[in-house]
Amino acid sequence: MITGTVTDPKGETLIGVSVVVKNKSVQTITDVNGKYRIKAAPQDTLVFSYIGMETKEYYVKNRKEINAILEEKEQSMKEVVVIGYSTQQRKDVTGAISSLKIKDDLSASYSSFDQMLQGQLSGVQVQSVSGTPGAGGAVRIRGVGSINGGNDPLYVIDGIPMDTEDGSELTDLFGASYQSPLSLIDPSDIESIDVLKDAAAASIYGSRATNGVILITTKKGRTGRTSFSVNMSSGISQVHNLPEMADTDLYLTVMNEAYSNYNRDNNYQPGDPGYQPLLEDPRGPDYPGDYDWVRLPFRDDTPVTQRYSISMRGGSSDTKFYTALSYYDQEGIIKTNRLRRINFRSNIDHIISSKVNFGVTIGLAHSINNRVPSENGNYGYILRSFPQRPFDRPYKEDGSYAIGGVDLRYHNVQAMVNESTSDYKIYQANASTYLNWKLTKDLIYKPQLSLIFNTNNDFYNRTTDFPNMDSYNGYTRESRSTAIRYVLQHTLTYKTLIKERLGLTAMAGQSYEHYNRSYVVASGWDFPTKEFTYIRSAASFGANGYAYASTLISHFGRLDLSWDDKYLLSATVRADGSSKFPKGGMWGVFPSASVSWRISKENFMKGFDAINDWKFRLSWGMTGEQSGVGYYTAQRYMGAEAPYYGSAGITLESPGNDQLSWEKAEQINIGTDAVLFNDRLNVSLDYYIKNTHGLLFNKPMPATYGYKTKLVNIGRMQNSGFELTLKTVNVKSRNFEWTSNLSFTTLKNEVKQLMEGNKPVYVGNYHILEIGKPVGSFYLYKQEGIYQYDEEVPENLYKSGVRAGDMKYALDENGNPVRMIVGKAMPDWYGGFTNTFKFYGFDLNVSLSFQYGNDILNIFRSGYSDRLGQMDANMLKESAENRWTGPGTSNTYPRALFNSEYNSMASDRYLEDGSFLKLREITLGYTLPVDWVKHLKLKYLRIYATAQNLLTWTKYSGMDPEVSYTLSPREMGQDFFGTPNPRMYLVGLSLNF
């Protein structure tokens, strides 16, 4: 008699598995505990089979116990896809939807869910724009959808639309260290992620779907014995690719050369008022060596990351549950930077009767973020540390702080680190309950009520010893906010099959959503001592506060028709009414239609055995976007923040716009999906064109109007491109498996129409919006080399002081340097390539991501390190060593010259190729055999090691080609001393019992 247990790779028992003695009539099935008993001889073979799982064979030999492990079978066209208010099998999908099924053995190594998307799905670009823990990344689906509004997709978690609005009023102090509310999601709670990319798939979400929709489904309970899962990991972070600055010898050489050139150009002699004396060597006999200012902002010790989670999963035929608790703690690479997060989730589903079932979802999260200034213009740690002179030190001989502008070139970063405190706390609660009521065998009514609650408390203090605090004795600023969103949804779904050939599914729904947020911001200054930090202890203080609310009412419907499982038609429509818009334009209607043809079902395809499934798709649809519209922007309103000679006053804050409307996008998509060679090769190819109309833009207004800008709808923008997904099973044998996943996306963005006259719109100092060009185009002076001889310099430039060794720019018809479009921030193409290997109990996952064709403006070079003596800041070693010192010495780097802006004008000298290939992650794991771990009373035990951001291949000279100063599409592609993404090394343990 042979006995045993049948489980999945995670140790979950499988009920009803068929166990057969090969070539005999002896068979049985596993019981509710996954156990079986069967008679078999030593020469027999047992065959284990289960729906949706790979069939396994085990040779009996002399064994009395055989524990079988069945793995999920790849059935691409049968996988369930979330489509918005419903689900479908992949074979029935008519729109462009990409899906990612989360594997437990990989999710444990990620700190945020958006990291799991990097390079995995075509059409989805994810950039880690800052290396600070919890920082919001840039997620873009098929390019940018707006120039002034939001470009983030709509996130829906278990049917609940999520809020991505920044909850703090202090974020301007910290640059790109904005913490996304989505950073509170625990990746290990996620079951699957479905991305609605084209308008046919996304239009069911109407006015918030232009940027795509990401549907996140969390784990649910399973029938069977309760199982517990424990995951633990710990690791370290490491900053890398730091720039090499000039040492004291090189610094003094360049600076004295800059002063000499300045004196010579201006004919200054010693004693003249403008003469610049040369620097003397400040190093004495006891000089301890140059100070490493580049390392100063970063931790002296090794930053540690820890993660612990425990979950419980199980259920009966009537009640299923999943409950999880986790803790995450990450120290950033910048001193004092740290993020801690705790999560709790409970999902319960219960069947009341054959007609009624209901479920409850509860998610709680709390985080504490000790933020640090990143791209802050005055107090960014990296910004103020790298350019310090190499012979200076953060402390004076008496132990007090060196003073910026007196002892140092810039603010003292050591004082900023020691004399400031940041404490940003977020509390989040999500709760949802639904009811499925089967009114008839074909008609189901589903109401769902959801509540999302967020409260934030952001505290920031600078003591009296913080730089530039001469005017007051300490400063504290505190922000508190509360946000509540209520969502009530009703759907009625009718599904039937007519005469065994016509499948019909009709869904109608209604949604009511109300959102309100309130802020209180207070500041206090002049404290008795630095130990007092709370505002109540301040001698002076001030406060501000406001509140706003919005309501969204929606009606929506979908009709799906399928004839003979070959010809499919889907049509959706949604009408949204938003309180953000004026009375005459509150409502917007967003329709879509899509068809697909399953060619493989045709009779003429019967001889093509290599083609398991082949489908052609065509779709059209309209979506909208309202995230760029303020809560009262459409209305003319007054503000009371205008005191007049000591008396209260009011002023016009918004001129209103009764013509303000939605941004609308019309999208056409053509695609095909194919499954070949018994699911060994899956191919998906799409081509899309998305035209966005009525772009939101803050139009500059004359100052005499009393306000600077007015939000209006202008112009049109187009995104187009190809998307390719390849999933392959390269090798599959009993003990070895190799699978690959390639995602590849091309992107072309073009501005089609602007304001009256279609005149170019200049954005900031470096960008332009122009017809026929991409959003985010760089508008800079173009370098054509270096003037090698004075005779080469045009007369008008020579008179203004330009000499041999200075920059040679492209000139206009008047002989003056002229700006032009010289690059773009958007890539031509991007994607990822992931390979997974399994050999006996070992698994290896290697993930690459790449992008090509984008440019990065290196403001670190333009603002500081490449100025070569123009200021007395330190400089990059490479730039200093390769500067022009005479004819033929350089055609890239100019001469050293003090007090001249000409060589440092915003030019393409600082514009670099931002293309990169990253070894995003490599994970090696080992799962111990079941026969080993059962002696430990365990069902599953896996150990693993992970390295993230291990290698980057790029021509970009900065620390990280992904870092960006802003997420705004108008000014993206700027690297302004951003915190780079660190390398991370983790080891972990996962077990089930």
Side-chain angles (χ1 to χ4, degrees):
M1 184 68 67
I2 307 299
T3 62
T5 305
V6 183
T7 64
D8 64 11
K10 288 287 290 180
E12 303 286 349
T13 54
L14 300 176
I15 303 170
V17 176
S18 173
V19 187
V20 178
V21 179
K22 193 174 183 178
N23 299 324
K24 292 184 179 180
S25 59
V26 181
Q27 61 182 342
T28 187
I29 61 172
T30 57
D31 60 20
V32 293
N33 294 315
K35 297 184 179 296
Y36 72 92
R37 292 169 58 88
I38 194 169
K39 286 185 178 181
Q43 67 272 20
D44 287 335
T45 298
L46 298 186
V47 181
F48 298 82
S49 58
Y50 191 64
I51 296 174
M53 310 293 278
E54 295 281 1
T55 298
K56 282 281 190 75
E57 295 185 0
Y58 290 83
Y59 187 45
V60 175
K61 294 184 179 180
N62 295 318
R63 291 183 287 181
K64 298 297 182 182
E65 182 180 20
I66 297 177
N67 296 313
I69 300 175
L70 302 187
E71 296 185 354
E72 188 175 354
K73 187 177 183 180
E74 292 288 344
Q75 293 178 304
S76 301
M77 286 300 173
K78 291 185 178 180
E79 75 171 354
V80 176
V81 177
V82 181
I83 59 172
Y85 304 102
S86 186
T87 59
Q88 282 183 342
Q89 283 192 332
R90 173 67 67 180
K91 67 181 181 65
D92 298 324
V93 172
T94 58
I97 301 177
S98 292
S99 300
L100 184 65
K101 306 304 178 185
I102 308 303
K103 297 180 180 180
D104 290 340
D105 54 355
L106 295 180
S107 65
S109 61
Y110 294 104
S111 62
S112 63
F113 89 93
D114 54 331
Q115 289 183 350
M116 296 189 292
L117 293 175
Q118 287 182 317
Q120 297 299 311
L121 303 176
S122 62
V124 182
Q125 183 186 17
V126 182
Q127 277 189 269
S128 299
V129 297
S130 175
T132 56
V139 180
R140 300 290 178 259
I141 299 175
R142 294 185 166 180
V144 297
S146 177
I147 58 175
N148 201 82
N151 281 280
D152 290 330
L154 172 66
Y155 296 93
V156 180
I157 303 178
D158 293 331
I160 308 173
M162 297 300 295
D163 175 25
T164 59
E165 188 175 17
D166 184 11
S168 172
E169 286 291 283
L170 307 191
T171 297
D172 60 313
L173 298 172
F174 300 99
S177 295
Y178 150 69
Q179 182 180 347
S180 168
L182 297 171
S183 66
L184 273 72
I185 301 171
D186 183 0
S188 62
D189 285 338
I190 298 175
E191 186 82 46
S192 65
I193 300 174
D194 297 278
V195 182
L196 313 184
K197 298 186 295 186
D198 70 340
S203 64
I204 195 68
Y205 288 99
S207 64
R208 295 177 290 182
T210 287
N211 299 317
V213 182
I214 295 181
L215 305 176
I216 300 173
T217 303
T218 60
K219 293 176 180 177
K220 303 295 189 292
R222 293 176 179 171
T223 301
R225 191 173 65 181
T226 300
S227 65
F228 294 85
S229 297
V230 176
N231 290 284
M232 297 177 286
S233 65
S234 182
I236 60 173
S237 300
Q238 183 183 81
V239 65
H240 60 104
N241 198 32
L242 294 176
E244 186 175 3
M245 307 299 289
D247 61 15
T248 296
D249 288 330
L250 183 58
Y251 173 83
L252 292 174
T253 298
V254 174
M255 286 304 306
N256 284 331
E257 188 177 303
Y259 291 145
S260 296
N261 288 334
Y262 172 77
N263 291 332
R264 184 178 63 251
D265 289 355
N266 292 280
N267 295 315
Y268 289 143
Q269 299 296 323
D272 291 346
Y275 178 79
Q276 288 294 321
L278 302 187
L279 296 177
E280 295 182 2
D281 193 334
R283 297 170 292 183
D286 298 326
Y287 184 69
D290 290 351
Y291 191 81
D292 193 352
W293 287 100
V294 170
R295 293 290 315 182
L296 177 61
F298 303 101
R299 286 183 182 269
D300 299 321
D301 55 353
T302 301
V304 175
T305 298
Q306 302 177 75
R307 182 177 180 181
Y308 308 94
S309 68
I310 183 170
S311 63
M312 181 173 61
R313 196 174 195 178
S316 64
S317 57
D318 292 334
T319 304
K320 302 178 182 66
F321 62 88
Y322 170 81
T323 301
L325 178 67
S326 66
Y327 174 75
Y328 180 78
D329 187 345
Q330 180 183 357
E331 293 179 335
I333 55 176
I334 302 292
K335 290 175 179 176
T336 72
N337 188 202
R338 183 184 182 190
L339 173 68
R340 286 160 286 175
R341 181 186 71 213
I342 186 168
N343 293 81
F344 172 80
R345 176 165 293 278
S346 182
N347 296 340
I348 301 173
D349 299 278
H350 178 68
I351 299 174
I352 299 175
S353 67
S354 60
K355 292 186 176 182
V356 180
N357 67 284
F358 78 97
V360 176
T361 295
I362 298 174
L364 305 176
H366 170 49
S367 71
I368 303 174
N369 193 348
N370 306 122
R371 298 195 283 181
V372 294
S374 184
E375 290 86 356
N376 182 292
N378 292 318
Y379 299 104
Y381 289 178
I382 295 176
L383 169 69
R384 289 310 182 199
S385 185
F386 283 16
Q388 298 281 17
R389 295 173 300 198
F391 49 78
D392 287 331
R393 278 174 156 65
Y395 293 101
K396 300 178 184 179
E397 292 184 0
D398 62 3
S400 62
Y401 293 118
I403 306 300
V406 179
D407 309 298
L408 304 175
R409 180 62 180 84
Y410 298 106
H411 291 319
N412 190 337
V413 174
Q414 190 66 61
M416 288 193 272
V417 170
N418 294 346
E419 305 300 332
S420 64
T421 304
S422 167
D423 196 37
Y424 182 29
K425 297 178 181 178
I426 302 178
Y427 303 86
Q428 186 182 89
N430 304 323
S432 177
T433 182
Y434 74 88
L435 178 75
N436 276 329
W437 184 6
K438 201 170 185 178
L439 302 176
T440 69
K441 69 181 184 69
D442 300 322
L443 186 63
I444 297 177
Y445 168 60
K446 181 182 179 179
Q448 181 173 356
L449 176 63
S450 305
L451 169 67
I452 305 98
F453 175 82
N454 282 279
T455 184
N456 308 296
N457 183 11
D458 200 357
F459 174 88
Y460 183 59
N461 169 259
R462 296 172 179 170
T463 75
T464 186
D465 291 326
F466 191 90
N468 201 28
M469 295 287 284
D470 298 334
S471 57
Y472 39 79
N473 188 25
Y475 173 80
T476 290
R477 190 176 179 193
E478 189 167 359
S479 163
R480 298 191 179 190
S481 70
T482 300
I484 302 176
R485 185 188 300 273
Y486 307 91
V487 183
L488 177 61
Q489 298 172 172
H490 303 269
T491 58
L492 197 62
T493 305
Y494 178 76
K495 186 174 184 179
T496 188
L497 182 64
I498 303 173
K499 294 187 177 181
E500 303 299 323
R501 301 192 74 181
L502 178 62
L504 184 151
T505 302
M507 184 270 290
Q510 190 271 343
S511 173
Y512 173 84
E513 190 170 324
H514 182 74
Y515 175 76
N516 65 69
R517 180 184 285 274
S518 60
Y519 282 94
V520 174
V521 185
S523 299
W525 55 97
D526 290 336
F527 292 88
T529 67
K530 60 192 300 183
E531 287 73 27
F532 291 87
T533 60
Y534 288 100
I535 293 175
R536 64 173 294 176
S537 305
S540 304
F541 50 84
N544 193 2
Y546 56 93
Y548 48 78
S550 68
T551 299
L552 182 69
I553 299 176
S554 308
H555 306 280
F556 51 88
R558 178 193 292 119
L559 175 65
D560 295 312
L561 296 174
S562 171
W563 177 259
D564 216 16
D565 210 23
K566 286 189 293 188
Y567 314 109
L568 299 98
L569 167 68
S570 180
T572 66
V573 64
R574 180 172 178 127
D576 279 340
S578 173
S579 63
K580 291 184 176 182
F581 294 96
K583 289 184 178 180
M586 282 188 173
W587 286 90
V589 179
F590 307 94
S592 74
S594 56
V595 295
S596 70
W597 173 27
R598 294 187 69 194
I599 306 170
S600 56
K601 285 288 185 177
E602 299 290 354
N603 291 330
F604 60 77
M605 293 295 295
K606 287 185 177 179
F608 298 89
D609 296 334
I611 302 177
N612 307 119
D613 208 301
W614 183 19
K615 181 171 64 174
F616 171 79
R617 294 177 280 104
L618 175 64
S619 70
W620 167 90
M622 298 283 294
T623 53
E625 188 59 41
Q626 56 166 311
S627 60
V629 180
Y631 294 89
Y632 307 108
T633 303
Q635 304 174 31
R636 184 181 179 91
Y637 64 89
M638 311 295 286
E641 299 179 22
Y644 185 74
Y645 285 101
S647 301
I650 60 174
T651 185
L652 179 67
E653 290 204 0
S654 171
N657 183 355
D658 58 6
Q659 301 299 313
L660 195 65
S661 183
W662 322 81
E663 289 182 323
K664 286 189 176 182
E666 181 180 13
Q667 190 170 174
I668 296 173
N669 191 98
I670 301 173
T672 185
D673 306 306
V675 181
L676 309 172
F677 311 117
N678 292 322
D679 242 321
R680 297 290 290 265
L681 173 62
N682 284 260
V683 183
S684 182
L685 178 65
D686 284 270
Y687 175 72
Y688 67 91
I689 299 176
K690 181 168 73 171
N691 290 297
T692 306
H693 308 263
L695 296 169
L696 293 168
F697 187 75
N698 282 315
K699 180 181 178 181
M701 304 298 290
T704 53
Y705 281 35
Y707 47 88
K708 295 180 180 179
T709 62
K710 180 179 180 179
L711 189 65
V712 297
N713 297 100
I714 66 162
R716 184 165 56 91
M717 176 176 65
Q718 183 182 91
N719 288 291
S720 61
F722 288 93
E723 297 172 353
L724 173 66
T725 299
L726 288 176
K727 295 181 180 180
T728 62
V729 181
N730 307 310
V731 178
K732 188 161 190 176
S733 62
R734 181 171 181 177
N735 296 315
F736 179 68
E737 180 178 323
W738 171 25
T739 59
S740 299
N741 178 33
L742 171 69
S743 67
F744 180 82
T745 304
T746 69
L747 175 63
K748 182 181 179 182
N749 175 271
E750 187 176 347
V751 176
K752 293 290 188 177
Q753 183 182 347
L754 288 169
M755 292 183 289
E756 301 88 346
N758 282 326
K759 293 181 180 179
V761 178
Y762 304 102
V763 182
N765 296 320
Y766 312 112
H767 294 271
I768 192 173
L769 296 172
E770 184 174 304
I771 300 295
K773 302 297 182 181
V775 174
S777 293
F778 288 102
Y779 190 65
L780 307 169
Y781 297 102
K782 183 174 180 61
Q783 181 186 18
E784 294 184 338
I786 301 293
Y787 291 115
Q788 301 296 321
Y789 300 95
D790 286 349
E791 293 76 16
E792 298 177 5
V793 181
E795 183 179 356
N796 63 316
L797 295 182
Y798 190 88
K799 289 180 178 179
S800 66
V802 179
R803 299 290 185 269
D806 289 337
M807 292 282 290
K808 183 180 180 180
Y809 298 111
L811 306 177
D812 61 14
E813 62 275 9
N814 297 317
N816 296 314
V818 59
R819 287 186 182 235
M820 60 185 70
I821 293 177
V822 293
K824 59 186 178 63
M826 292 189 189
D828 294 324
W829 44 265
Y830 59 87
F833 186 44
T834 300
N835 285 275
T836 302
F837 305 88
K838 294 182 179 180
F839 181 67
Y840 287 91
F842 290 95
D843 60 87
L844 175 66
N845 187 78
V846 181
S847 181
L848 300 163
S849 65
F850 53 82
Q851 69 179 41
Y852 175 83
N854 64 296
D855 298 302
I856 299 175
L857 184 63
N858 192 333
I859 300 180
F860 172 51
R861 290 179 52 211
S862 67
Y864 297 88
S865 66
D866 270 14
R867 295 208 165 201
L868 298 175
Q870 187 238 322
M871 305 180 298
D872 57 349
N874 202 2
M875 58 213 76
L876 283 171
K877 179 181 179 181
E878 179 191 6
S879 305
E881 289 183 336
N882 293 286
R883 71 194 183 281
W884 187 92
T885 55
T889 55
S890 176
N891 204 38
T892 303
Y893 299 100
R895 62 176 177 152
L897 182 63
F898 175 70
N899 198 31
S900 172
E901 293 285 348
Y902 177 82
N903 288 332
S904 302
M905 293 196 302
S907 74
D908 63 349
R909 177 160 75 98
Y910 310 113
L911 194 65
E912 303 184 39
D913 184 356
S915 306
F916 66 82
L917 171 64
K918 273 196 174 187
L919 179 54
R920 183 73 63 181
E921 177 176 306
I922 180 168
T923 298
L924 176 64
Y926 178 67
T927 303
L928 277 68
V930 174
D931 292 339
W932 294 8
V933 300
K934 71 178 183 180
H935 299 296
L936 302 174
K937 305 301 181 183
L938 301 176
K939 294 189 290 185
Y940 170 86
L941 177 60
R942 176 177 178 265
I943 55 176
Y944 64 90
T946 295
Q948 296 176 354
N949 295 317
L950 193 60
L951 294 170
T952 301
W953 294 271
T954 182
K955 294 179 180 179
Y956 180 58
S957 67
M959 292 183 289
D960 190 340
E962 280 194 282
V963 169
S964 180
Y965 168 58
T966 176
L967 299 182
S968 168
R970 298 175 301 156
E971 297 182 89
M972 58 188 175
Q974 301 178 30
D975 184 358
F976 193 61
F977 297 86
T979 304
N981 289 289
R983 285 190 184 132
M984 294 189 70
Y985 303 93
L986 299 166
V987 292
L989 172 73
S990 300
L991 59 89
N992 281 14
F993 59 92

